């Protein structure tokens, strides 16, 4: 077009913006790499620690099966309870790493739900006794003896709730209760309750 005699170009320096965008990408990549490394570390260490912990628990069970006097029996029982508590923490760490990696799978295997509740009471018995708390496990007779589900995850949740109840209760009792709320042809709806005489959960935190 011969009427056009020239051009006017408007420009701006975008060096800083481009550098900031590149820095943001680098920071994101570094964070993702660090998160992956942390998850892999947690998973590896959890597996490595569980092996000797299971050995401690197994050997302690064998020791408890021998002839011990009352003091030795109490000490050996304390070792077993402490080892089981530590193993529960290790399992929590392993689950956390699996969740981050998107690999957590809920199992469906046959288990005795009363035994799960009893194990929780047994693990926390020493902690409750040290605080002069009465720890009760109440399983209603209607609860089926065998169910299909993820016993490990159920026990972890129940143990966390009951352990918090023992921790924040200064006097009175902690009750772990299990009953059946509804039964279908091939399914059972069970309700777990952890009841304590402690301070309770603040109103502001209850909804959360």
């Amino acid at each position: 077009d011969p009427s056009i005699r020239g051009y006017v170009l408007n420009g701006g320096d975008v060096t800083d913006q481009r550098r900031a965008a590149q820095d943001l990408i680098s920071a994101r990549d570094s964070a993702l790499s660090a998160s992956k490394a942390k998850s892999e570390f947690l998973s590896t260490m959890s597996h490595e620690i569980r092996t000797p912990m299971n050995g401690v628990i197994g050997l302690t069970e064998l020791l408890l099966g021998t002839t011990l006097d009352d003091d030795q029996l109490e000490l050996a029982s304390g070792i077993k309870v402490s080892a089981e508590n530590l193993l529960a923490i290790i399992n929590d760490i392993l689950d956390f790493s699996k969740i981050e990696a998107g690999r957590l799978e809920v199992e469906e295997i046959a288990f005795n739900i009363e035994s799960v509740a009893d194990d929780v009471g047994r693990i926390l018995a020493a902690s409750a006794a040290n605080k002069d708390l009465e720890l009760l496990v109440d399983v209603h007779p209607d609860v089926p003896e065998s169910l299909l589900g993820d016993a490990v995850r159920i026990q972890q949740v129940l143990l966390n709730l009951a352990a918090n109840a023992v921790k924040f209760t200064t006097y009175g009792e902690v009750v772990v209760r299990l009953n059946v709320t509804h039964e279908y042809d091939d399914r059972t709806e069970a309700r777990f309750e952890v009841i304590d005489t402690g301070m309770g959960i603040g109103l502001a935190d209850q909804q959360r």
Side-chain angles (χ1 to χ4, degrees), residues 6 21 30 32 49 68 74 104 123 130 138 153 176:
S30 296
L32 290 174
I49 296 172
L68 303 173
E74 183 177 354
L104 180 65
I123 292 172
N130 289 336
D138 179 21
R153 300 303 187 290
V176 177

Side-chain angles (χ1 to χ4, degrees), residues 117-118 120-121 124 128 133-140 158-159 161-167 169 171-179 191-198:
D118 286 340
V120 169
L124 297 176
L133 298 175
E134 186 174 10
L135 178 62
L136 304 172
V137 177
D138 179 21
V139 180
H140 196 275
L158 197 59
L159 182 59
L161 293 173
N164 275 342
V166 171
K167 179 179 179 181
T169 301
Y171 65 90
E173 65 180 17
V174 174
V175 181
V176 177
R177 181 173 294 157
L178 172 61
N179 54 50
R191 178 180 175 87
F192 290 91
E193 295 178 320
V194 177
I195 306 161
D196 63 72
T197 53

Side-chain angles (χ1 to χ4, degrees), residues 12 25 51 65 83 85 106 112 125 155 159 171 174 182 186 208:
I25 292 172
T51 300
N85 275 320
V106 177
N112 186 303
Q155 187 178 72
L159 182 59
Y171 65 90
V174 174
H182 196 85
D186 59 347
R208 178 176 62 83

Side-chain angles (χ1 to χ4, degrees), residues 108-112 146-149 151:
E108 187 169 295
I109 59 176
F111 71 100
N112 186 303
S146 182
L147 293 171
L148 286 177

Side-chain angles (χ1 to χ4, degrees), residues 11-204:
D13 186 357
V14 296
T15 303
D16 290 341
Q17 291 94 319
R18 289 203 171 191
R19 184 178 294 117
Q22 186 60 47
D23 289 344
L24 188 62
I25 292 172
S26 297
R28 181 203 62 190
D29 291 345
S30 296
L32 290 174
S33 179
S35 178
K36 181 180 179 182
K38 181 191 69 175
S39 296
E40 290 176 350
F41 172 77
L42 286 175
S43 179
T44 300
M45 289 305 298
S46 296
H47 280 295
E48 293 295 329
I49 296 172
R50 284 171 68 177
T51 300
M53 283 307 305
N54 282 321
V56 171
I57 294 172
L59 290 172
T60 306
E61 287 178 345
L62 292 175
L63 179 61
L64 288 169
T66 63
T67 303
L68 303 173
D69 61 36
D70 291 342
D71 290 338
Q72 291 171 333
L73 184 61
E74 183 177 354
L75 291 173
S77 298
I79 292 173
K80 186 170 185 293
V81 168
S82 297
E84 287 173 336
N85 275 320
L86 183 55
L87 186 60
I89 295 172
I90 294 168
N91 286 332
D92 284 341
I93 295 173
L94 182 59
D95 273 357
F96 178 74
S97 64
K98 284 183 178 180
I99 290 170
E100 283 200 326
R103 297 200 306 266
L104 180 65
E105 295 181 1
V106 177
E107 295 181 333
E108 187 169 295
I109 59 176
F111 71 100
N112 186 303
I113 201 165
E114 184 175 358
S115 295
V116 169
D118 286 340
D119 285 345
V120 169
R122 183 164 47 84
I123 292 172
L124 297 176
S127 299
N130 289 336
K131 300 181 68 175
D132 292 325
L133 298 175
E134 186 174 10
L135 178 62
L136 304 172
V137 177
D138 179 21
V139 180
H140 196 275
D142 289 344
V143 175
E145 182 176 335
S146 182
L147 293 171
L148 286 177
D150 196 325
V152 174
R153 300 303 187 290
I154 291 174
Q155 187 178 72
Q156 283 178 308
V157 173
L158 197 59
L159 182 59
N160 285 337
L161 293 173
N164 275 342
V166 171
K167 179 179 179 181
F168 293 106
T169 301
T170 55
Y171 65 90
E173 65 180 17
V174 174
V175 181
V176 177
R177 181 173 294 157
L178 172 61
N179 54 50
V180 173
T181 56
H182 196 85
E183 286 190 281
Y184 306 90
D185 290 339
D186 59 347
R187 302 185 69 84
T188 295
E189 183 178 288
R191 178 180 175 87
F192 290 91
E193 295 178 320
V194 177
I195 306 161
D196 63 72
T197 53
M199 65 179 72
I201 301 175
L203 291 176

